[in-house]
């Protein structure tokens, strides 16, 4: 079982949460998260809340002179995988240093809960999480549901707020398992009951990952049924749709149909079109979503601002190879006849994603550090094998756990989608730290997404205004989630506040050197406490596990 290097019992790492400070922010240009025009205002923070907003307020407590700086709500990253790394990096420095204060976790159907009652189901979930490079606490999975996971996570001093979704993959493993089949009517009822329980405990919605087993094995009817449970709780359904290349438009239609059939809120995750033959379909997919909204359906999307996606190398394999879970997949990869059967689909998917010259390996489970940060074509040469054989051998050797970056997205699609006011910003990243630089690689979105939007897309290129960019990072995701106490600057809201230099903000992380904090973030307050102060990460713990209000 994977373990982590951070133990919450370790007194050297454990820090008592500092007391909340009274803070007055003076002379800042306030962009309040609603999309309205910026205005110079003062803000007073007390007891973790915004207690006053106005002009010429008297100074109380510690003074922050924000003259020349922009003051916004803390950024809400509506699509993250921080729960995969949170047990190793609970302080979330890579997130806070780009202004993020709240992270929505459990995305793409990959979640830590619910957990099946039988030991075999627990182990099956562990294997599922391992495939997605998750860190598991040293004592293993000890919880069964959202309430238990939240309680366990609260033992760690968190840097950011965590707002978990129910991962459909975990939900399905708990009831159906990893088999390639539809749920029976009795199992579908159990899925609905189990989802209802997680939502009643405060989970913010449900996510699906329909290119990843076991979610890919679920028919549309399953999501229509689960959507009705989500609608009952006014909870969000986020979906990594069933295809993002040739079948993107049909996959978006499927997501829209879930909203139509169940009357639930739907969010298409990291909207994009993968593969040169499909470029331009990102624009068409957004137009489908806008047409659905004209129909009265509650459908939106989110995106990240990069030309490359990142996910497991196993997505190159046809779905049937992964039926039955990780162990069954590895056995098929070791079987000569099965390998012959999977080769045509593997090569087709590899070509769609740009070919071996445009696939970068960023992480492996067991050693092989010489492969990290190299293209698949280079690794194939090092292994003295064709690229397709190298993929199968590498996945078998690494027990299915290999992470990769795929350079296959159109800048024109990115720009078009970016300009829409129904598209939130979601990094699709997670929490990592600078000390990882010596022995790992990752996607620069883990460090730079929000700074890149503000610095490149808003300030430098003018594709969106400052107010529009901030709205897409704050007020819009808060509204989608039903997060009533965050996302805008107003009296009584939680004091999650980001202060930055608009002239200097930029992302420094690159694909070659991803482990670099963003530049230009001056202060970040999480629940009224300093997470970033004077441009430096404080390593203080002010985050909370958030629960959806009912």
């Amino acid at each position: 079982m994977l373990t982590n290097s951070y133990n919450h019992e370790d007194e050297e790492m454990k820090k008592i949460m500092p007391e909340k400070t009274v803070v007055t922010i003076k002379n800042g240009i306030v962009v309040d998260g609603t999309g309205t025009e910026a205005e110079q205002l003062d803000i007073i923070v007390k007891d973790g809340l915004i207690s006053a907003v106005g002009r010429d307020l008297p100074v109380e407590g510690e003074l922050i002179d924000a003259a020349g700086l922009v003051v916004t709500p803390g950024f809400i990253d509506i699509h993250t995988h921080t729960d995969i790394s949170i047990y190793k990096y609970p302080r979330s420095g890579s997130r806070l240093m780009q202004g993020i204060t709240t992270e929505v976790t459990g995305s793409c159907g990959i979640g830590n809960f619910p957990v099946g009652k039988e030991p075999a189901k627990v182990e099956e979930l562990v294997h599922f999480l391992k495939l997605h490079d998750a860190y598991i606490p040293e004592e293993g999975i000890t919880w069964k549901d959202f309430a238990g996971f939240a309680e366990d996570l609260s033992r760690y001093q968190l840097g950011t707020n965590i707002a978990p979704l129910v991962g459909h993959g975990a939900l399905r493993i708990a009831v159906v398992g990893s088999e390639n089949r539809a749920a029976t009517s009795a199992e579908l009822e159990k899925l609905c009951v189990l989802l209802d329980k997680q939502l009643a405990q405060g989970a913010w919605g449900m996510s699906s990952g329909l290119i990843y087993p076991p979610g890919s094995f679920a028919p549309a009817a399953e999501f229509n049924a689960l959507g009705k449970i989500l609608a009952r709780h006014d909870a969000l359904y986020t979906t990594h749709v069933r295809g993002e290349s040739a079948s993107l438009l049909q996959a978006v239609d499927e997501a829209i149909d879930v909203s139509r059939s169940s009357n639930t809120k739907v969010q298409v995750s990291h909207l994009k079109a993968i593969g040169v033959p499909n470029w331009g379909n990102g624009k068409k997919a957004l137009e489908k979503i806008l047409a659905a909204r004209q129909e009265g359906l509650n459908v939106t999307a989110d995106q990240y601002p990069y030309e490359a996606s990142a996910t497991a190398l196993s997505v190159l394999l046809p779905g049937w190879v992964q039926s039955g879970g990780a162990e069954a997949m590895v056995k098929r990869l070791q079987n000569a006849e099965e390998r012959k059967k999977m080769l045509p689909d593997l090569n087709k998917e590899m070509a769609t994603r740009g070919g071996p010259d445009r696939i970068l390996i960023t992480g492996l489970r067991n050693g092989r550090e010489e492969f990290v940060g190299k293209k698949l074509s280079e690794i194939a040469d090092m292994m003295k094998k064709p690229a397709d054989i190298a993929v199968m051998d590498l996945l078998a050797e690494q027990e299915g756990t290999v992470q990769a970056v795929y350079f296959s997205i159109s800048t024109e699609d990115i720009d078009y989608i970016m300009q829409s006011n129904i598209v939130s910003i979601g990094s699709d990243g997670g929490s990592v730290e600078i000390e990882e630089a010596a022995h790992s690689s990752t996607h620069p979105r883990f460090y730079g997404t929000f700074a890149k939007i503000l610095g490149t897309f808003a300030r430098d290129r003018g594709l969106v205004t400052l107010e529009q960019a901030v709205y897409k990072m704050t007020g819009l995701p808060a509204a989608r989630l039903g997060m009533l106490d965050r996302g805008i600057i107003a009296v009584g809201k939680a004091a999650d506040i980001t202060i930055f230099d608009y002239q200097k903000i930029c992302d420094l992380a690159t694909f070659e050197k991803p482990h670099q904090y963003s530049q230009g973030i001056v202060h970040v307050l999480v629940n009224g406490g300093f997470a970033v102060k004077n441009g430096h990460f404080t390593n203080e713990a002010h985050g909370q596990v958030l629960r959806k209000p009912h």
Side-chain angles (χ1 to χ4, degrees):
M1 178 179 294
L2 288 177
T3 60
N4 64 79
S5 60
Y6 174 81
N7 186 336
H8 67 277
E9 298 295 342
D10 186 340
E11 289 303 322
E12 290 186 7
M13 290 296 292
K14 190 173 182 180
K15 297 184 74 173
I16 297 172
M17 183 179 292
E19 292 184 6
K20 298 297 184 288
T21 309
V22 177
V23 176
T24 301
I25 304 167
K26 297 281 288 185
N27 307 315
I29 305 301
V30 175
V31 180
D32 68 4
T34 66
T36 57
E37 190 173 348
E39 184 179 4
Q40 184 170 317
L41 295 168
D42 302 335
I43 300 170
I44 297 177
V45 171
K46 289 182 182 177
D47 299 322
L49 301 174
I50 296 172
S51 65
V53 180
R55 295 181 181 275
D56 301 318
L57 296 179
V59 175
E60 298 185 43
E62 184 173 349
L63 172 65
I64 295 177
D65 185 356
L69 303 177
V70 176
V71 182
T72 73
F75 302 150
I76 299 171
D77 191 337
I78 201 166
H79 187 103
T80 87
H81 293 283
T82 285
D83 48 337
I84 285 174
S85 58
I86 194 71
Y87 284 105
K88 187 174 186 182
Y89 303 121
R91 296 292 196 276
S92 296
S94 60
R95 326 297 287 147
L96 290 161
M97 287 298 290
Q98 55 181 304
I100 298 166
T101 58
T102 297
E103 305 189 67
V104 179
T105 62
S107 301
C108 295
I110 306 163
N112 292 288
F113 66 90
V115 183
K117 296 178 181 179
E118 304 89 352
K121 292 289 188 186
V122 179
E123 194 61 27
E124 194 170 350
L125 177 59
V126 168
H127 284 306
F128 172 66
L129 293 172
K130 280 183 180 181
L131 283 176
H132 297 281
D133 205 25
Y135 291 92
I136 309 296
E138 291 178 351
E139 62 272 25
I141 292 178
T142 58
W143 57 87
K144 291 297 181 185
D145 52 18
F146 169 75
F149 173 67
E151 181 180 357
D152 187 79
L153 195 56
S154 295
R155 298 184 298 152
Y156 293 72
Q157 277 78 51
L158 301 174
T160 58
N161 300 309
I162 303 296
L165 302 169
V166 181
H168 172 259
L171 183 75
R172 202 167 209 269
I173 287 170
V175 175
V176 182
S178 300
E179 298 175 22
N180 185 359
R181 63 175 178 83
T184 65
S185 57
E187 287 170 336
L188 184 56
E189 177 61 25
K190 288 180 181 179
L191 287 167
C192 290
V193 169
L194 192 53
L195 174 61
D196 185 74
K197 178 182 178 182
Q198 313 311 303
L199 298 174
Q201 291 176 350
W204 290 85
M206 185 189 79
S207 74
S208 67
L210 302 187
I211 69 164
Y212 305 116
S216 58
F217 303 147
E222 184 167 309
F223 298 102
N224 294 339
L226 293 169
K228 292 175 183 177
I229 307 301
L230 290 162
R232 189 185 304 162
H233 291 268
D234 191 31
L236 184 63
Y237 170 49
T238 73
T239 177
H240 180 148
V241 294
R242 209 173 287 273
E244 294 180 323
S245 52
S247 61
L248 170 65
L249 301 182
Q250 297 95 312
V252 169
D253 282 339
E254 179 184 352
I256 291 169
D257 283 340
V258 172
S259 181
R260 184 179 290 114
S261 67
S262 63
N263 198 34
T264 195
K265 298 185 292 185
V266 171
Q267 177 112 345
V268 177
S269 298
H270 39 60
L271 183 61
K272 59 184 177 292
I274 289 176
V276 174
N278 307 304
W279 287 1
N281 282 346
K283 176 180 178 180
K284 292 178 182 177
L286 177 59
E287 289 171 346
K288 277 182 172 288
I289 292 169
L290 293 170
R293 292 177 62 80
Q294 288 292 319
E295 184 186 331
L297 302 179
N298 196 343
V299 186
T300 54
D302 57 65
Q303 79 169 143
Y304 52 77
Y306 295 92
E307 299 166 44
S309 61
T311 189
L313 188 67
S314 58
V315 300
L316 298 180
L317 303 175
W320 62 265
V321 178
Q322 302 177 62
S323 178
E327 187 176 346
M329 178 181 73
V330 171
K331 286 182 179 179
R332 292 187 182 103
L333 287 165
Q334 295 169 336
N335 181 289
E337 291 304 314
E338 300 279 34
R339 286 163 68 100
K340 290 179 184 178
K341 293 177 186 176
M342 64 183 81
L343 271 175
D345 286 336
L346 188 162
N347 279 300
K348 181 179 178 181
E349 185 63 24
M350 185 161 57
T352 296
R353 291 178 177 267
D357 282 332
R358 296 182 67 82
I359 299 173
L360 185 74
I361 301 302
T362 57
L364 302 100
R365 182 179 177 190
N366 301 316
R368 290 288 200 175
E369 289 187 10
E370 70 273 19
F371 291 165
V372 174
K374 288 188 168 54
K375 297 176 183 177
L376 180 58
S377 56
E378 295 174 312
I379 293 170
D381 288 342
M382 293 168 70
M383 296 176 73
K384 296 180 169 39
K385 298 174 182 178
D388 51 5
I389 302 301
V391 167
M392 293 187 293
D393 287 352
L394 197 58
L395 284 169
E397 172 194 299
Q398 297 292 318
E399 299 178 66
T401 305
V402 181
Q403 299 300 311
V405 166
Y406 303 86
F407 294 88
S408 56
I409 305 171
S410 159
T411 55
E412 288 79 8
D413 277 344
I414 293 171
D415 289 354
Y416 185 83
I417 294 167
M418 182 67 64
Q419 296 173 71
S420 173
N421 276 338
I422 68 156
V423 177
S424 301
I425 304 305
S427 70
D428 201 13
S431 174
V432 286
E433 295 299 347
I434 294 294
E435 61 263 26
E436 283 287 277
H439 58 275
S440 75
S441 185
T442 192
H443 195 297
R445 67 193 184 194
F446 281 58
Y447 286 89
T449 296
F450 286 72
K452 187 178 183 71
I453 298 288
L454 291 166
T456 300
F457 287 81
R459 181 195 62 222
D460 296 346
R461 299 182 59 203
L463 275 182
V464 291
T465 65
L466 171 61
E467 292 85 353
Q468 185 182 10
V470 171
Y471 169 68
K472 288 156 66 72
M473 299 173 176
T474 58
L476 177 58
R480 295 302 293 157
L481 291 159
M483 195 170 281
L484 305 178
D485 61 341
R486 295 162 212 271
I488 64 171
I489 298 289
V491 173
K493 302 295 184 182
D496 291 351
I497 297 173
T498 294
I499 302 173
F500 58 90
D501 187 330
Y502 191 44
Q503 298 310 310
K504 294 181 179 178
I505 194 166
C506 65
D507 61 313
L508 299 180
T510 65
F511 289 100
E512 293 75 26
K513 295 182 179 180
H515 292 282
Q516 301 187 72
Y517 287 146
S518 292
Q519 177 177 288
I521 297 293
V522 181
H523 304 288
V524 176
L525 277 72
V526 178
N527 296 309
F530 281 101
V532 177
K533 192 170 188 179
N534 297 319
H536 297 286
F537 175 46
T538 67
N539 201 34
E540 292 180 4
H542 299 283
Q544 303 171 1
V545 179
L546 304 180
R547 293 164 175 79
K548 189 177 187 300
H550 291 284

